[in-house]
């Protein structure tokens, strides 16, 4: 028997039955979706051998046997690969990332696979790679040659050198404290990514030359011409600007026009026409507004596997989204789009469900040698949505250019 079955059911069930449409907070919270892991359920009791888990297992990293004449490969579809990239770059090791798939010695390498070349790298490369593998749990594969049997070669210009990650995180007046706090915890405590914190009001006067990415959490802030020109110059030199929520709206086509990406709440003419016929009584209005609310649900988002933001993922992800403010998918590169049947869990009425279909969740636009990346919602929502960590990490690690 499971003594905590009610807690387990509440946290793990994919779709909670909602009997009353009164929401104190969000309407969906399934942990398998939040962590981006596979989970299964059975409608009946299953007798299997089981063992209580009393401690989190530690993944032991290793360097596989073989000749590393050319260098080393590290898969990008495991978070250990992300940690390995950060650890190697902190040690001054040159790390590259494959922009497309390949096959080397019968082994497939997915887009994003890390390549640590021997030539031109640190003298004690073998020792450093072995140390990082043990530290991060990464599986490291020796590369005996750069000539592949299929796909791009390791010497291709599509295997690009990664710029050491250093983030300028903006906060202060007008910035959501929960969004900023989750972002800082993400950078500082979870992934130990070098970063500095600046006031959003000082943006126009900042020296961003030593940074690879600027991250601006959800904020209600009016960006002036000096702010936008500072960000444009930063992107032109290979930097990446990452923003979401109200900040994405403020910097997009309807705001300061850093990017042509258009973010708007999906609306239609029928709602405008219905305003005149809306019930006059306060109770009726409150009831109608309550049913039309979008307090926060879980949705299916289809990814474009060819864009680096999506490297390491499968064809789709589960995302959290409150409200219906989304992107016009034709206003930039739609890396992530809501599916035609998007809702996985939580409450959303039929009208709002229709509005979400096919809209953009994650958008990107090239600007000079760099990029602008917008998310419709905080991918690091309350530091609880770990399944989307890779989206943010891909933007920080893979997109900047030297």
């Amino acid at each position: 028997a499971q003594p905590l079955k009610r807690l387990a059911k509440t946290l793990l069930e994919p779709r909670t039955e909602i009997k009353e449409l009164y929401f104190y907070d969000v309407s969906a919270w399934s942990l398998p979706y939040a962590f981006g892991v596979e989970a299964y359920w059975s409608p009946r009791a299953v007798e299997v051998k089981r063992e209580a888990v009393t401690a989190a297992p530690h993944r032991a990293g290793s360097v596989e046997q073989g000749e590393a004449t050319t260098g080393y490969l590290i898969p990008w579809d495991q978070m250990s690969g992300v940690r390995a990239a950060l650890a190697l770059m902190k040690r001054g090791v040159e790390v590259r990332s494959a922009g497309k798939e390949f096959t080397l010695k019968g082994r497939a390498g997915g887009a994003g696979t890390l390549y640590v070349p021997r030539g031109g790298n640190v003298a004690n490369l073998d020792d450093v790679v072995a140390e990082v593998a043990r530290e991060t749990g990464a599986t490291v594969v020796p590369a005996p040659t750069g000539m592949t049997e299929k796909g791009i070669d390791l010497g291709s210009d599509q295997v690009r050198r990664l710029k050491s990650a250093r983030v300028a995180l903006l906060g202060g007046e007008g910035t959501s404290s929960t969004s900023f706090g989750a972002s800082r915890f993400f950078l500082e405590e979870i992934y130990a990514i070098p970063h500095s914190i600046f006031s959003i009001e000082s943006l126009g006067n900042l020296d961003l030359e030593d940074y690879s990415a600027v991250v601006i959490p959800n904020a209600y802030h009016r960006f002036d011409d000096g702010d936008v020109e500072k960000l444009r110059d930063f992107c032109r030199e290979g930097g990446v600007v990452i923003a979401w929520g109200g900040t994405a709206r403020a910097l997009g086509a309807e705001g300061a026009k850093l990017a042509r990406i258009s973010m708007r709440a999906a609306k239609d003419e029928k709602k405008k026409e219905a305003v005149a016929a809306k019930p006059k009584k306060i109770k009726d209005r409150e009831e109608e507004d309550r049913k039309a609310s979008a307090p926060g649900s879980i949705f299916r988002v289809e990814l474009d596997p060819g864009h680096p933001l999506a490297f390491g993922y499968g064809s789709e992800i589960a995302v959290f989204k409150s409200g219906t403010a989304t992107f016009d998918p034709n206003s930039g590169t739609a890396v992530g789009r809501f599916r035609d049947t998007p809702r996985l869990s939580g409450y959303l009425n039929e009208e709002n469900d229709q509005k979400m279909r096919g809209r953009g969740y994650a958008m990107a636009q090239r600007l000079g040698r760099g990029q602008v990346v917008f998310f419709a919602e905080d991918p690091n929502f309350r530091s609880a949505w770990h399944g989307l960590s890779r989206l943010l990490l891909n933007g920080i690690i893979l997109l900047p250019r030297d």
Side-chain angles (χ1 to χ4, degrees):
Q2 171 56 265
L4 298 176
K5 73 171 187 178
R6 290 183 177 85
L7 176 62
K9 179 175 183 293
T10 299
L11 295 178
L12 299 176
E13 64 183 347
R15 179 172 289 193
T16 301
E17 182 182 356
I18 299 174
K19 298 179 180 179
E20 298 290 339
L21 300 182
Y22 291 93
F23 302 104
Y24 167 74
D25 196 38
V26 302
S27 65
W29 48 81
S30 176
L31 288 188
Y33 288 140
F35 279 76
V37 298
E38 288 188 9
Y40 302 87
W41 66 276
S42 170
R44 59 182 181 273
V46 178
E47 287 299 324
V48 294
K49 184 179 180 180
R50 52 194 182 273
E51 182 179 344
V53 178
T54 58
H58 174 70
R59 179 188 173 112
S62 64
V63 179
E64 294 186 358
Q65 294 293 320
E67 293 295 325
T69 308
T70 301
Y72 295 95
L73 299 173
I74 305 174
W76 191 250
D77 58 357
Q78 298 288 331
M79 294 306 290
S80 56
V82 177
R83 295 183 184 277
L86 293 168
L88 287 167
M89 287 190 286
K90 284 181 182 178
R91 289 166 168 81
V93 176
E94 179 185 329
V95 182
R96 301 178 187 177
S97 173
K100 292 186 180 296
E101 299 175 350
F102 62 88
T103 301
L104 179 63
K105 296 299 180 182
R107 190 163 187 163
T113 297
L114 301 177
Y115 172 47
V116 184
R118 182 173 295 282
N121 228 320
V122 296
N124 59 335
L125 182 65
D126 298 325
D127 293 336
V128 172
V129 168
E131 179 185 39
V132 167
R134 291 191 298 270
E135 177 184 306
T136 63
T139 298
V140 181
V141 182
T145 176
M147 300 296 291
T148 65
E149 298 99 67
K150 185 178 179 181
I152 60 174
D153 291 325
L154 298 184
S156 165
D157 59 4
Q158 295 191 61
V159 182
R160 297 189 177 97
R161 177 175 177 169
L162 298 181
K163 185 175 183 178
S164 293
R166 189 178 180 193
V167 175
L169 175 63
L170 303 190
E173 188 70 27
T175 307
S176 164
S177 58
T178 54
S179 184
F180 173 82
S183 299
R184 181 176 181 179
F185 188 81
F186 177 91
L187 295 170
E188 194 168 294
E189 298 295 332
I190 301 179
Y191 291 99
I193 297 175
H195 64 283
S196 301
I197 297 171
F198 301 104
S199 167
I200 196 170
E201 296 179 330
S202 67
L203 173 58
N205 298 317
L206 295 180
D207 181 358
L208 299 174
E209 184 178 356
D210 295 330
Y211 295 89
S212 58
V214 174
V215 174
I216 316 177
N218 186 32
Y220 297 93
H221 179 77
R222 183 181 180 278
F223 295 90
D224 61 29
D225 292 343
D227 297 334
V228 175
E229 194 56 35
K230 175 69 67 173
L231 294 176
R232 280 203 184 103
D233 288 343
F234 177 69
C235 288
R236 290 184 185 118
E237 295 301 315
V240 176
V241 174
I242 304 172
W244 52 81
T247 305
R249 182 193 297 278
L251 289 173
E254 288 78 34
K257 296 180 173 53
L258 171 66
R260 63 177 179 275
I261 299 169
S262 173
M263 183 181 190
R264 61 183 175 83
K267 298 179 181 179
D268 57 27
E269 296 301 318
K270 291 181 180 179
K271 185 170 182 179
K272 294 179 181 178
E273 295 171 0
V275 172
K278 197 172 184 179
K280 299 290 191 232
K281 292 182 180 179
I282 293 176
K283 181 179 179 180
D284 292 336
R285 290 182 179 179
E286 290 177 344
E287 180 71 6
E288 186 175 285
D289 290 342
R290 182 168 60 83
K291 290 181 178 179
S293 68
S297 301
I298 302 172
F299 298 91
R300 297 166 66 215
V301 165
E302 180 181 9
L303 295 175
D304 180 348
H307 195 282
L309 272 183
F311 287 178
Y313 282 111
S315 60
E316 72 175 33
I317 53 176
V319 308
F320 174 85
K321 177 75 181 81
S322 61
T324 58
T326 51
F327 298 105
D328 174 358
N330 297 313
S331 63
T333 300
V335 183
R337 296 178 62 164
F338 291 95
R339 288 280 197 179
D340 289 338
T341 53
R343 186 169 60 92
L344 286 168
S345 184
Y347 172 74
L348 196 72
N349 68 12
E350 180 60 27
E351 181 181 353
N352 285 331
D353 184 86
Q354 291 289 336
K355 291 177 183 178
M356 304 290 285
R357 300 183 180 195
R359 299 280 295 176
Y361 169 81
M363 303 289 292
Q365 178 189 316
R366 288 191 177 278
L367 186 53
R369 290 169 41 233
Q371 293 198 44
V372 176
V373 174
F374 287 165
F375 298 110
E377 182 72 66
D378 187 346
N380 191 35
F381 179 69
R382 296 180 181 172
S383 280
W385 216 259
H386 296 281
L388 301 183
S389 294
R390 185 185 295 277
L391 276 180
L392 190 51
L393 290 164
N394 282 352
I396 291 172
I397 299 172
L398 300 185
L399 293 186
R401 295 285 177 262
D402 279 322

